[in-house]
Amino acid sequence: MDFFKYIHAVGTGPKGNRDLTLEESKDMMDQILNQSIPSEQSAAFLLGWRLKPETTTEFRGAIEACDAYIEKTTIANSLELGYPFDGKAKNPYIFPLVGKVLEESGLNLVLIGDELTPAKNGITIKDICTKIELNKNTHYFDRADFFPKMSDLTELRMKLGLRSGFNTIEKLPRVANSEYAITGVFHKPYVKKYVEIFSDRYKRFALIQGNEGTPELFSKGRLWISNGGDVDEIIVDPANYGINYTKSWDAITLEDSLNQLNNPSDEYMKLAKLNAAVYLFVTENAASIDEAWEKLN
């Protein structure tokens, strides 16, 4: 279909806008990924789509289009971690330490990274995974290798400088055919949307009120588990496990982030164990977070 029709659907204002069908969304995404249209048209659509805003059907259609271009490598007994591609700006990552804690459990962690995308301007998963030795159960996939068509759009997205629908759909490409997945979410209203978009792609899908939108718990927050049509909510408070870690509100450098991973404090290691316990629960390797915590201690 003429791509201008999609721009018209999202860019004519509240009275003239309309939602795309599933098939239209797949075609839209195909044209953007293949760069068969001018970059200006792609940018115009992404901006209008964000403002319209996007629907669950549109997201699902876009994801279906992406699936056709992703080169997958199956990793058994794995949990896919859905991180934002705009990075973390104020706190270090904790997943390398979580991987170490989980090594004897047999659970594999799957992470996806690429160059920075808008809009946080933080330290990326790629920054960490290319500068630190990961445990054998922590698997990093670079999007430039397994999904180059999306990676090739990074420059355009940086020129646009704003979040877009891509920020939502790109977190969980299911590159390792993982049966389990967890991603971070800022606000509770987004839980329902993420569940509608992603839950049927996994045996068990979870969301967590994680640090800076990541699937990493640094302070008291909520964990949501999708069970069919229902969503169970669990409050997780590090203080209940004797953890007194204080998260940062200041900007962090890559050097500082790597240093805290290479020389973790006792409290940071306790926090890593709690995150590991959450992941064991999500992947049905424990009946509860408390049970998993006891196993790890």
Side-chain angles (χ1 to χ4, degrees):
M1 183 180 289
D2 182 353
F3 195 84
F4 182 73
K5 292 183 179 179
Y6 301 143
I7 298 176
H8 188 271
V10 303
T12 55
K15 292 184 178 180
N17 285 350
R18 68 171 180 86
D19 298 333
L20 272 60
T21 67
L22 184 77
E23 290 303 318
E24 286 176 329
S25 298
K26 289 171 65 177
D27 181 55
M28 168 275 295
M29 198 69 192
D30 268 328
Q31 293 194 52
I32 291 179
L33 288 172
N34 287 307
Q35 299 190 50
S36 57
I37 53 172
S39 59
E40 293 86 352
Q41 289 192 14
S42 295
F45 176 83
L46 290 174
L47 181 58
W49 196 29
R50 178 73 174 172
L51 296 175
K52 181 178 67 75
E54 312 96 335
T55 67
T56 297
T57 297
E58 290 169 341
F59 277 139
R60 289 176 67 89
I63 289 171
E64 282 190 31
C66 291
D67 283 341
Y69 299 102
I70 295 171
E71 183 178 345
K72 299 189 177 186
T73 303
T74 299
I75 295 179
N77 192 27
S78 63
L79 172 67
E80 185 174 27
L81 304 178
Y83 283 82
F85 283 74
D86 59 357
K88 292 182 76 171
K90 298 178 180 179
N91 290 272
Y93 285 94
I94 203 169
F95 68 83
L97 301 179
V98 177
K100 289 180 180 180
V101 171
L102 289 171
E103 186 169 9
E104 293 185 5
S105 74
L107 180 63
N108 291 292
L109 301 182
V110 172
L111 298 107
I112 297 95
D114 201 345
E115 301 298 335
L116 184 70
T117 60
K120 194 189 302 171
N121 198 32
I123 297 166
T124 67
I125 288 289
K126 184 171 184 173
D127 289 332
I128 299 297
C129 289
T130 55
K131 292 177 175 64
I132 198 169
E133 185 176 352
L134 300 173
N135 259 46
K136 62 182 180 180
N137 65 329
T138 304
H139 306 267
Y140 168 68
F141 289 84
D142 196 305
R143 186 164 60 185
D145 298 324
F146 75 84
F147 191 9
K149 286 186 180 294
M150 179 65 88
S151 185
D152 289 346
L153 294 171
T154 301
E155 183 178 357
L156 169 65
R157 295 171 65 183
M158 289 301 287
K159 286 180 179 179
L160 183 61
L162 299 169
R163 288 179 59 85
S164 70
F166 286 0
N167 290 68
T168 297
I169 65 174
E170 68 186 350
K171 287 184 179 181
L172 296 166
R174 209 162 182 267
V175 64
N177 290 315
S178 303
E179 289 188 312
Y180 302 93
I182 183 170
T183 190
V185 63
F186 278 114
H187 307 295
K188 189 173 181 178
Y190 285 90
V191 172
K192 183 176 183 291
K193 177 173 284 189
Y194 273 95
V195 168
E196 290 174 347
I197 296 169
F198 292 108
S199 63
D200 65 354
R201 292 168 63 84
Y202 301 91
K203 180 179 179 181
R204 200 175 197 204
F205 176 65
L207 301 110
I208 196 165
Q209 204 169 25
N211 181 246
E212 298 190 48
T214 70
E216 299 184 342
L217 186 77
F218 275 39
S219 58
K220 183 178 180 180
R222 291 174 171 82
L223 172 70
W224 294 275
I225 305 286
S226 175
N227 289 309
D230 299 322
V231 179
D232 298 329
E233 180 178 302
I234 301 167
I235 302 295
V236 187
D237 188 350
N240 293 338
Y241 299 89
I243 302 171
N244 299 301
Y245 181 82
T246 302
K247 66 179 182 180
S248 172
W249 297 99
D250 300 319
I252 189 172
T253 65
L254 176 58
E255 183 180 2
D256 288 338
S257 186
L258 292 172
N259 183 56
Q260 291 192 54
L261 287 171
N262 289 321
N263 303 284
S265 66
D266 290 343
E267 293 302 311
Y268 205 46
M269 282 305 305
K270 290 180 185 177
L271 195 63
K273 285 185 178 181
L274 179 57
N275 278 272
V278 170
Y279 295 171
L280 287 176
F281 170 60
V282 168
T283 55
E284 301 179 288
N285 283 291
S288 67
I289 297 172
D290 288 350
E291 179 186 299
W293 175 258
E294 291 298 324
K295 285 182 179 181
L296 296 172
N297 286 277

